[in-house]
Amino acid sequence: MNIHGQFRPVDTPPPPGETPPVGPLLRQGLELVEGLSLKLQKLDALMLTGRPTEISEAAANVEAALNDAAPSFAEIAEAVGQLGVSNLAAAAAQLRHIEQEDAARLAEALRGALTRFAKRSVNASRRAQQLNRGLNAALRSLQALGVQEAGRLIAEA
């Protein structure tokens, strides 16, 4: 069995005096996740209203915010790797070990915020799938009723 390439290499931890400053990056990441969560929460709430234009705009806002945040999260992952660890929980422990308590708390807060965001994302995805199934069923019903006349189905729906 070959396991080559299945693990992400991590750097050896730097000596305590040479630790890269991760606190500002973690704070920025936490702010980004909180902003993303608010946008996702707005999208989830809009899906209950049935207003397709607003839903589409909110979805585009979430997607754009995720794309904009990607470089920051790549920087955070690189900084965590420079600590010699592969995740935020281990980063918090390493930061405590090198006596950077504030950065350790930020790493834990970011980990919690990412967990909450992931749960909200799953819930919003389920709601979107339900909405999509409902719209598809409605369109099939309209087709069965003979509403489709040269593209009028979408206009009438």
Side-chain angles (χ1 to χ4, degrees), residues 13-67:
E18 298 178 24
T19 304
V22 295
L25 282 174
L26 294 171
R27 183 173 286 109
Q28 178 187 13
L30 186 58
E31 291 170 359
L32 286 170
V33 171
E34 289 171 352
L36 286 166
S37 290
L38 289 174
K39 289 179 188 317
L40 186 60
Q41 189 174 10
K42 179 182 176 185
L43 172 61
D44 197 31
L46 280 172
M47 282 191 273
L48 295 172
T49 66
R51 292 181 271 172
T53 304
E54 288 89 354
I55 292 170
S56 178
E57 289 172 4
N61 285 339
V62 170
E63 185 177 0
L66 282 169
N67 289 334

Side-chain angles (χ1 to χ4, degrees), residues 52-114:
T53 304
E54 288 89 354
I55 292 170
S56 178
E57 289 172 4
N61 285 339
V62 170
E63 185 177 0
L66 282 169
N67 289 334
D68 291 345
S72 296
F73 287 118
E75 286 181 48
I76 292 169
E78 183 179 325
V80 166
Q82 289 175 357
L83 289 172
V85 296
S86 61
N87 60 51
L88 288 170
Q94 178 66 19
L95 289 165
R96 279 200 174 77
H97 179 71
I98 58 175
E99 299 176 358
Q100 290 191 14
E101 190 64 37
D102 290 342
R105 281 194 294 273
L106 283 170
E108 289 173 343
L110 179 56
R111 182 174 175 268
L114 285 168

